[in-house]
Amino acid sequence: LIGQGVGPEARVAVVLPRSVELAVALLAVLKAGGAYVPVDPEYPEARRAFVLADAAPVLVLDDEAVRQDLSAHPDTAPVTGLRPAHPAYVIHTSGSTGTPKGVVVTHTGLAALAASQAERFAVTGQSRVLQFASPSFDASVSEMCVTWLTGAALVMAPGERLLPGAGLEELLAEQRVTHATLPPSVLAALPPQATLPGLASLVVAGEACPADLVERWSAGRHMVNAYGPTEATVCATVGEPLSGRVVPSLGAPIGDVRLFVLDALLRPVPDGAAGELYLAGSGLARGYLGRSALTAERFVACPFGPAGARMYRTGDLVRRRADGGLEFVGRADDQVKVRGHRIEPGEVEQALTAHPAVRQAAVAARADRTGDLRLTGYVVPTADAARQTLAADLRRDLLGRLPEHLVPSVITVLDALPLTPNGK
């Protein structure tokens, strides 16, 4: 890698499925001093092409590249001039303007993340940690880092074996997994009779966890709730061990994370009042790749720290409970979380309106009969559109261009979109 120009500030795209080769490739890029850009090969070709074009990597590691016969293996880690402030990885998240944005995360927060999570999640050298998240999702960073830096075993499996349901239950038992981080929606999809006796530590993250899931899965194991955006090196807060029928709070800051609940004028709000959550600390990302204006908008000066300190606007509305915990209230903008994935409806709306049969589109997250959030699309067709088959045609088209979690579960064809009294 170094011989091909990889070093500090150089980006390397890694287009590999969950595998030993993926783990080796990520470590190789980091040891060479570069920043890896994970590209899930299961994503649609259009999404992969966009990420590769946006990241402009100096090299792409895919199946063909890792099959090459490499004859030179250094005995020690190479000297690269790498510093903590250099980027470690770039992960693309959904974009409110319809364009995904690459978050540039440095090495600074990784060691603190691994150390804090090892302690909070009780990971030891005897643990077996499930690598559940997609390589393109930042939860995979914490799964791998906390495993490697504690000497635990990382359990990797093909994507089809990780689908929520009986197959995942079988995998956990077969591989004797002791530690797993799962979105609440995945827990809810496990068979009713599932008990997972070998799972000693369970972390729920990615979305709000209902009280009934806590009651079912906390008995007999160490279960905690974790919270954090990609822009704050995966995880910013972790709660106390859960027990009984309770709604988890966001928990307490890890490492040197500082959090503030502020109003629109950046003033602290009273306890019990809702405000936007801001995060500060060494784990904040450098910003968004090639998007200085957006970086300046989301990473703002911190009035509560030393000169030059920054804080990140999460967009999450929270309130401080009587017990001191932070309770998630909702989003300050249109961004939503569905099944653990952070989604900007604007990106999906742009994809819908790109279809020649669609004149207007709107996307929202709606609760179904079970209370689970589902992405729902509404479209106004063009005059010559085939209305009877339009919904099915649109889903087929989106599945070819977007990751599955960005494709609405239901698409409804309307004569017109409803308007507010002022015409919006």
Side-chain angles (χ1 to χ4, degrees), residues 17-346:
R18 296 174 180 87
S19 59
V20 172
E21 289 75 17
L22 172 66
V24 171
L26 298 184
L27 282 170
V29 173
L30 294 174
K31 280 186 174 289
Y36 72 83
V37 183
V39 183
D40 192 334
E42 295 183 5
Y43 275 12
E45 182 179 354
R47 176 74 169 211
R48 299 197 306 269
F50 172 86
V51 171
L52 290 172
D54 184 66
V58 299
L59 200 65
V60 176
L61 289 179
D62 55 15
D63 281 327
E64 182 179 353
V66 299
R67 283 197 301 266
Q68 294 179 12
D69 180 27
L70 304 179
S71 57
H73 300 280
D75 294 328
T76 60
V79 177
T80 63
L82 184 68
R83 296 186 177 187
H86 283 133
Y89 60 88
V90 178
I91 281 184
H92 284 73
T93 65
S94 192
S96 57
T97 61
T99 303
K101 51 189 183 291
V103 183
V104 183
V105 182
T106 70
H107 286 265
T108 304
L110 286 179
L113 170 75
S116 298
Q117 290 196 335
E119 178 184 357
R120 299 291 185 94
F121 302 165
V123 183
T124 70
Q126 287 69 49
S127 301
R128 295 178 63 81
V129 182
L130 179 68
Q131 203 280 289
F132 176 82
S134 160
S136 292
F137 191 36
D138 69 335
S140 65
V141 176
S142 64
E143 290 169 339
M144 288 187 268
C145 283
V146 74
T147 303
W148 292 333
L149 296 180
T150 56
L154 186 67
V155 176
M156 307 186 87
E160 59 269 18
R161 296 206 64 190
L162 296 169
L163 295 175
L168 178 58
E169 179 192 9
E170 293 171 3
L171 174 67
L172 293 170
E174 171 193 304
Q175 294 296 325
R176 297 176 285 110
V177 171
T178 61
H179 291 64
T181 299
L182 300 172
S185 295
V186 172
L187 284 179
L190 289 172
Q193 70 277 8
T195 59
L196 307 181
L199 192 63
S201 178
L202 174 61
V203 182
V204 286
E207 59 192 6
C209 185
D212 62 320
L213 287 180
V214 175
E215 183 178 38
R216 177 185 175 191
W217 292 105
S218 62
R221 62 172 52 91
H222 183 269
M223 180 179 182
V224 296
N225 182 64
Y227 162 85
T230 304
E231 290 85 348
T233 313
V234 187
C235 182
T237 66
V238 175
E240 292 297 319
L242 298 168
S243 178
R245 193 178 182 86
V246 296
V247 175
S249 73
L250 296 187
I254 65 171
D256 70 346
V257 173
R258 298 183 66 197
L259 52 84
F260 311 97
V261 185
L262 309 177
D263 63 15
L265 298 178
L266 300 185
R267 299 173 303 193
V269 302
D271 288 353
E276 185 171 355
L277 180 61
Y278 287 72
L279 301 173
S282 61
L284 291 192
R286 179 186 292 183
Y288 299 111
L289 182 65
R291 303 182 70 177
S292 56
L294 184 60
T295 298
E297 176 188 334
R298 304 299 297 189
F299 294 85
V300 299
C302 179
F304 312 104
R310 301 179 306 152
M311 57 184 184
Y312 171 67
R313 296 182 56 196
T314 67
D316 287 329
L317 295 177
V318 301
R319 66 166 59 93
R320 196 175 298 278
R321 304 192 310 202
D323 61 3
L326 291 180
E327 180 182 63
F328 178 75
V329 176
R331 290 291 302 173
D333 51 24
D334 290 333
Q335 194 178 78
V336 294
K337 274 192 175 181
V338 178
R339 295 191 168 188
H341 293 281
R342 190 167 52 163
I343 294 170
E344 294 280 4

